[in-house]
Structures are given as structure tokens and as C-alpha cells.
Amino acid sequence: QVLWNTQLRDTSRIPSNFSRQERMATIEALKGAIQIPTVSFSHEKSNTTALAEFGEYIQRVFPTVFHTSFIKHEVVGNYSHLFTVQGSDPSLQPYLLLAHIDVVPAPEEGWEVPPFSGQERDGFIYGRGTLDNKNSVMAILQALELLLLRNYTPQRSFFIALGHDEEISGTDGAQKISALLQSRGVRLAFAVDEGSFVVDNFLPSLKKPIAIIAVSEKGAMDLMLRVNMTPGHSSAPPKETTISILSAAINQLQQNPMPNMFGRGQVKTMLQQLAGEFSSPINIVLRNLWLFQPFVSRFLEKNPITNAMIRTTVAPTVFQAGIKVNVIPPVAQAIINFRIHPAQTVHEVLELTKNIVADDRVQFHVLRAFDPSPVSPTDDQALGYQLLRHTIHAVFPEVSVVAPGTCIGNTDSRHYLNLTRGIYLFNPVLLKPADFRIHGVNERISVQAYETQVKFIFEFIQNADMELVGMPDSPHQHDL
Ligand SMILES: CCCCCCCCCCCCCCCCCC(=O)N[C@@H](Cc1ccccc1)C(=O)O
Ligand SMILES: [Zn+2]
Ligand SMILES: [Zn+2]
């Protein structure tokens, strides 16, 4: 177990108490950020005017961050931002806080308030980006601004990287920032990005909120399936057409899911650590997975999120076919989006897919693919994990267990694997099932949850300066 020196090395700790005026300004700042429609539609199309405006906005809202001598600000890839916060102790390895300023599109249908209005209703701020991921962008800068206003000077250096194209790959933002840091010889102690939450009532039998820190993220593959045929007159159709052959292939994939990998990823460890949080008899079941593993793994398949944690998922997302009502279509093609379980590879999933489809008339074209990310350490020596765990317990006293998990989506963080093997995906936001609206309609964050996120980062930055007894870079180890 890591021991924490209860005192900061040389300065006294700054309490995370904010005045009413500061809290109001914090909320207004987030609302203003939501009002700038920084939408990434595709590689060819993003709202560059909004991305540029967002750069000006953060300069206006966080003047101290931009005018502090030990903070360097750089624009990378035209719209992404890199902040280098120089700490006073060069013996401490720096870390990285990540977030992204772009958002997915939000057509107005189904929204209770316009998606880029940032309106507040019943204690919630609504809008595209309130959870994914302007909350993090703004909370990181807000926490730093508040610390600087209290004359905080960090001991451990850190970087803040705000990507502008995460929702379309991160190749212009995160990838370029990562290359820049690498060219400067930077090695990171760890990085923290979006990708998991504190969840409350996620499963009915869970008694208290739990915090899941994702320590690995799934791989991905966009696979195009295509069928070609000679076109003909629809009045004399052949028994099978390009559309029926392609549909049958997709149906085969839906009827034959990828194997259940429970026991070969983070989920088993996560459930074992959470066992005591469940009421009886589930706690007994989880303490005896040697016996109940088959039952538990089948149970997890029933919920789309837990199902995504235990297997490679297969989602047909694009289907194109047909040119005219009376012409047998010459081509039918579909894109299938796979999210690859950490215990599998792109190659394995592609082979499995070909075997499941088992039809030579279907061609396979891999459009984009990457393997799952390696599992980051969670042991006593894992500074990033331990700092998050410690800060979670301090800021969310209602959370009794912090457990490692797998991120079912992808984040900018994978572009930083060249700088560190300690990548942790965790958004310090408490979510109830009704608030899982990422990429959906009526995305929202409660005012309280956002204020807590700012408080969390305010505490986390200070904790990163705290003396961790037994950590490799503790300069005071010889005193012990
Ligand atoms: C026993 C109970 C445990 C419950 C734990 C519940 C935690 C659930 C957290 C789920 C959060 C999912 C957050 C995913 C973040 C993904 C961010 C994102 O949308 N990224 C895009 C990136 C992308 C990828 C490919 C092309 C374009 C963009 C994504 O689609 O993954
Ligand atoms: Zn995101
Ligand atoms: Zn997203």
C-alpha cells in the first residue's frame, strides 16, 4: 500500500473552497464554451471558424493561465493547444492532462433546448460537449486559473493538451502534440484523459457509487464489406442480389457475436474488487467466480455497456446500395465498426469475421484499424493510478471502491503511448444511468457535477506535488 505524507513538501495546501462569485463565473465559462459549435463532421469537414473562436475564448476566460511566466502556451496543428506548466522541481517526472475541444454533430431534433445554447434547466447545463468533452477542457483550465489566483506554483511540471480533432481521429491535434513532446525528449510519468466515470446506480444491486479508472482502451477496425454483380432488369431478378448477399453477411455477423472474453480482460478484476459493494446474493456470486463465472459472463452480455466490456463488438454503421428502383444494384457495400477486446488483435478479429461470413462473393477492405492499447499499471508504484485513487476518495467520499476497467470507446490518449505506459482514462464526473447521453440527445452535466470536476482537478494538481512515500521519484526517500 502506498503511504501518503499528509503534508505538502514545502508549501501549505490550498483548500478547494470557492466563493459564490467564482462558482458562478465557473458555470458561465462552461456555458460560453458550449455555445461555440466546434463540430467535427469528418476529416474533410470541421467548423474551423468555431475552433479558432474557441482559442480566443479560453484566452479571454482564463487570463491568468495565459499570463503566468512559468506557463507556456502553444497552438499545434492550427487549433489544438499545448500548455507547458513548468514546475520548480526538475527531478520530478512530468505528467499530462488531456481533453478535446471538438464535439460530434448535434441535429436539433429531440433536444429539449438547442444543443449549442448551453442553457441551464433544473440544475443541469445542457448542450453538446457538456460531457464529451468541453467539461474537461474547461475544468482543467478553470482549476489551474483558480490555483494561480491563489499564488500556486507547482513543483512537478505538467502539460495540458487540448486536441481539436479527437472525434475524427486525433491525427492533426493529439498526434502532432505527441510528436512535438517527443522531439523535446519528454517522458511522462502518466497521462489522464476522458473514458470512464464515477457511476451511481449503474446496476440495481450496487449499493453505492463506484469509480472506474479505465487502464486500457479497446482497439478498433472499420471494415468495408462489398459485393459486386452484373446489373440487370429488376423485373427478372436473380435469386440473390448484391443487397441480399451483403445483408446475409451482416446478419451472420449479428447472429454470431465475437467470443465472450470475460476472464481475459479487466472486467473480472473489476468485479472481484467491487464484490463487497453488491447486495446479497450477488456479492457471494462475485466472491466465487471460480464457480459462477459462466453465469456472470452471461449476465454481463445483457447490458450493452457491460457486453462491450467483455467482447469485441460489431456494429454495422453505414450501408450503401442501389442506384435506381428498377435496376438490380451492381454494388452493395457496408462499413462495420468493430471495437476490439484487449485480449484480441485486429488480425484475429479479421480472420474470425471472414470465417463467420464464409462467402467468397463478399470482399473485405480494412479502412482503418488499430490494436487495443496495453494495460497501464495499477500497482502501488503506479503514480498516475494511485494519485487518481487518492483524489477520488478525497473528493467523492460516497465512493467506496475505485477499480480498474476498460474504455469501450477510443480517446486521444492512444497517440501518447510513445511518451508513457501509464495512461488512465477517467472523467471525475458522477453519472447516473439517465445521464449516459454522450453523442446522444440532451447531453447534459449537473452544475454540482461540474463544480466537483473543477474541485477534483484543483486537488489532483496539488496531490501530484505531494510526497508519495515509496514512489521512485520521491526526492525524500533517503529521509525515511
Ligand atoms: C460493473 C459496472 C461497471 C460500470 C462501468 C461503467 C463505466 C461506463 C463508462 C462508459 C463511458 C464511455 C466513454 C467513451 C469515451 C469515448 C470517447 C469517444 O467518443 N471517442 C470516439 C473516438 C473516435 C473513434 C473513431 C473514429 C472517430 C472518433 C469513439 O468513437 O470512440
Ligand atoms: Zn470524447
Ligand atoms: Zn466523443
Side-chain angles (χ1 to χ4, degrees):
Q1 190 69 33
V2 174
L3 301 174
W4 293 80
N5 193 334
T6 46
Q7 289 186 331
L8 285 173
R9 285 204 186 96
D10 51 11
T11 51
S12 56
R13 198 180 177 85
I14 306 169
S16 50
N17 300 328
F18 311 127
S19 68
R20 195 179 129 75
Q21 207 179 2
E22 283 174 331
R23 288 169 48 203
M24 277 168 57
T26 293
I27 297 302
E28 289 311 306
L30 177 63
K31 290 179 185 172
I34 300 300
Q35 287 162 10
I36 305 172
T38 50
V39 178
S40 284
F41 294 93
S42 65
H43 282 289
E44 295 74 39
K45 197 168 161 232
S46 59
N47 188 341
T48 51
T49 312
L51 289 170
E53 187 188 340
F54 198 88
E56 289 158 22
Y57 179 72
I58 53 176
Q59 295 213 25
R60 207 166 55 245
V61 180
F62 305 115
T64 324
V65 172
F66 282 84
H67 291 107
T68 290
S69 59
F70 56 82
I71 300 180
K72 182 166 87 175
H73 168 245
E74 293 163 280
V75 173
V76 181
N78 293 326
Y79 307 105
S80 287
H81 300 267
L82 172 65
F83 298 84
T84 304
V85 184
Q86 196 63 54
S88 57
D89 187 344
S91 72
L92 298 173
Q93 207 180 6
Y95 64 97
L96 169 68
L97 299 178
L98 287 164
H100 65 90
I101 63 180
D102 63 324
V103 295
V104 292
E108 294 217 352
E109 294 79 52
W111 282 76
E112 284 172 31
V113 304
F116 297 102
S117 64
Q119 276 182 48
E120 187 177 331
R121 266 201 189 176
D122 304 325
F124 286 86
I125 301 161
Y126 281 76
R128 178 59 84 230
T130 47
L131 285 174
D132 180 16
N133 177 245
K134 285 182 177 161
N135 58 319
S136 297
V137 170
M138 296 304 283
I140 292 168
L141 296 175
Q142 186 70 64
L144 182 56
E145 178 82 7
L146 289 165
L147 278 166
L148 296 169
L149 287 171
R150 287 157 173 76
N151 294 321
Y152 168 75
T153 55
Q155 295 178 48
R156 187 187 292 273
S157 297
F158 62 99
F159 300 96
I160 299 169
L162 309 177
H164 72 274
D165 61 347
E166 190 271 352
E167 296 292 1
I168 47 171
S169 71
T171 45
D172 245 1
Q175 207 164 300
K176 286 189 174 153
I177 295 176
S178 172
L180 180 64
L181 292 174
Q182 187 168 15
S183 74
R184 293 175 181 168
V186 170
R187 281 296 301 171
L188 299 167
F190 64 87
V192 181
D193 198 357
E194 64 172 341
S196 192
F197 293 95
V198 179
V199 290
D200 189 16
N201 255 314
F202 183 77
L203 297 172
S205 44
L206 262 174
K207 293 180 285 187
K208 286 181 177 171
I210 53 168
I212 306 296
I213 302 173
V215 293
S216 171
E217 85 179 29
K218 292 179 87 175
M221 173 167 67
D222 292 331
L223 181 66
M224 180 180 276
L225 306 191
R226 184 184 296 144
V227 182
N228 293 85
M229 269 177 118
T230 315
H233 201 293
S234 64
S235 60
K239 276 211 162 51
E240 289 180 291
T241 68
T242 51
I243 291 180
S244 69
I245 295 167
L246 184 62
S247 306
I250 293 174
N251 191 43
Q252 275 295 96
L253 288 170
Q254 304 272 238
Q255 296 306 316
N256 298 282
M258 292 285 150
N260 182 328
M261 307 295 279
F262 181 65
R264 296 194 49 206
Q266 295 306 310
V267 180
K268 190 170 176 181
T269 320
M270 177 176 88
L271 289 181
Q272 281 165 334
Q273 294 193 13
L274 292 174
E277 294 311 298
F278 287 86
S279 48
S280 191
I282 296 179
N283 52 357
I284 298 164
V285 169
L286 294 178
R287 285 201 179 100
N288 293 286
L289 283 178
W290 60 273
L291 180 61
F292 294 114
Q293 179 153 327
F295 164 79
V296 172
S297 72
R298 275 199 304 278
F299 175 78
L300 293 171
E301 289 180 338
K302 296 187 193 310
N303 172 306
I305 291 181
T306 48
N307 182 52
M309 289 175 174
I310 56 168
R311 62 157 40 90
T312 294
T313 53
V314 181
T317 48
V318 178
F319 196 108
Q320 296 157 328
I323 49 173
K324 192 171 183 312
V325 285
N326 58 354
V327 177
I328 297 296
V331 184
Q333 57 188 30
I335 301 176
I336 319 286
N337 181 245
F338 293 78
R339 302 298 175 126
I340 301 169
H341 185 275
Q344 289 182 310
T345 62
V346 169
H347 179 76
E348 280 167 30
V349 170
L350 185 57
E351 290 309 302
L352 273 170
T353 304
K354 287 179 178 171
N355 288 338
I356 292 169
V357 171
D359 187 337
D360 291 342
R361 295 168 299 179
V362 180
Q363 304 154 29
F364 296 85
H365 303 277
V366 176
L367 303 180
R368 181 194 69 124
F370 50 89
D371 283 326
S373 65
V375 177
S376 301
T378 56
D379 59 280
D380 289 355
Q381 300 295 304
L383 179 65
Y385 191 81
Q386 296 302 339
L387 276 172
L388 283 170
R389 206 175 63 85
H390 178 82
T391 314
I392 290 168
H393 284 306
V395 176
F396 296 94
E398 66 275 37
V399 167
S400 50
V401 176
V402 177
T406 301
C407 180
I408 59 175
N410 297 114
T411 68
D412 265 350
S413 70
R414 71 180 186 283
H415 297 299
Y416 294 89
L417 278 163
N418 53 332
L419 304 180
T420 179
R421 282 300 149 115
I423 292 186
Y424 302 98
L425 307 171
F426 178 70
N427 233 320
V429 174
L430 191 145
L431 283 192
K432 293 182 185 296
D435 300 327
F436 277 92
R437 300 175 180 187
I438 300 170
H439 291 198
V441 293
N442 295 312
E443 183 180 346
R444 65 181 191 178
I445 190 168
S446 75
V447 168
Q448 196 197 349
Y450 182 62
E451 286 179 357
T452 306
Q453 184 172 12
V454 174
K455 179 185 169 80
F456 182 96
I457 297 162
F458 189 96
E459 294 287 345
F460 183 88
I461 291 173
Q462 294 192 78
N463 286 341
D465 285 341
M466 207 161 75
E467 186 175 342
L468 278 159
V469 179
M471 282 290 167
D473 70 2
S474 169
H476 300 299
Q477 279 187 80
H478 56 272
D479 294 337
L480 302 170

